[in-house]
Amino acid sequence: MQKPKDQLEVFKELLTRKGLKYTHERESIYEEVRAINHHFNADSLYERFKKRGERIARATVYRNLPLLLESGVVQKSAGNGKRDFYERTRTKGHHDHMVCLGCRKIIEFHSDELEQIQEQLSRKYKFKLVFHDHRLFGYCEKCQS
Ligand SMILES: [Zn+2]
Ligand SMILES: [Zn+2]
């Protein structure tokens, strides 16, 4: 397997491709999401800056999350509520989620086969896959009894 590129490098490359700059605000947002160990959404990320008294517009946070998603710095996650949830992509790599409809427990899983099938399907449909958000809904072992 290829050695994964430094995530900051990938993020900066994406910005360059889109004609965007690695601004001070983007640096703050990048550093912040790398430091969060749990699932978050755009609002909870914004609140962290606000609490510290760092001036970053809510709209800036919202605008930059898709860029972090596209560069693989964060991945879609599962959480309670209608909003999109994110989490940083860990060094151990990408994973997907099973969500319990009973107790809301979230199980993280990874399947090489599933990832490969998704890539094969994308190739078959001439689709340029950027990221995916794979969630399975059901009941955990405890909630089944
Ligand atoms: Zn996956
Ligand atoms: Zn459960």
Side-chain angles (χ1 to χ4, degrees), residues 64-144:
N64 278 286
L65 273 170
L67 297 171
L68 290 167
L69 195 58
E70 193 170 337
S71 56
V73 175
V74 298
Q75 65 166 78
K76 279 279 190 85
S77 184
N80 295 325
K82 278 184 209 148
R83 297 274 168 91
D84 281 341
F85 280 84
Y86 304 92
E87 67 186 284
R88 71 185 164 93
T89 312
R90 287 179 221 160
T91 26
K92 77 173 182 192
H94 167 82
H95 59 266
D96 291 295
H97 299 92
M98 292 177 193
V99 182
C100 177
L101 296 167
C103 68
R104 293 280 160 191
K105 176 188 168 133
I106 293 162
I107 299 164
E108 296 180 343
F109 73 91
H110 178 85
S111 157
D112 283 332
E113 287 106 312
L114 201 55
E115 299 296 323
Q116 277 166 22
I117 289 166
Q118 287 169 162
E119 279 165 29
Q120 282 163 16
L121 279 169
S122 300
R123 275 200 297 276
K124 186 179 162 191
Y125 288 94
K126 299 197 177 4
F127 181 74
K128 187 182 177 290
L129 181 65
V130 178
F131 63 85
H132 66 270
D133 167 21
H134 199 68
R135 278 185 292 171
L136 308 180
F137 294 88
Y139 293 95
C140 74
E141 200 177 357
K142 261 193 197 155
C143 290
Q144 287 172 51

Side-chain angles (χ1 to χ4, degrees), residues 11-25:
F11 182 45
K12 284 179 176 173
E13 277 172 17
L14 179 83
L15 292 175
T16 309
R17 270 210 310 282
K18 290 184 181 284
L20 300 167
K21 288 204 171 77
Y22 186 59
T23 57
H24 175 68
E25 282 160 326

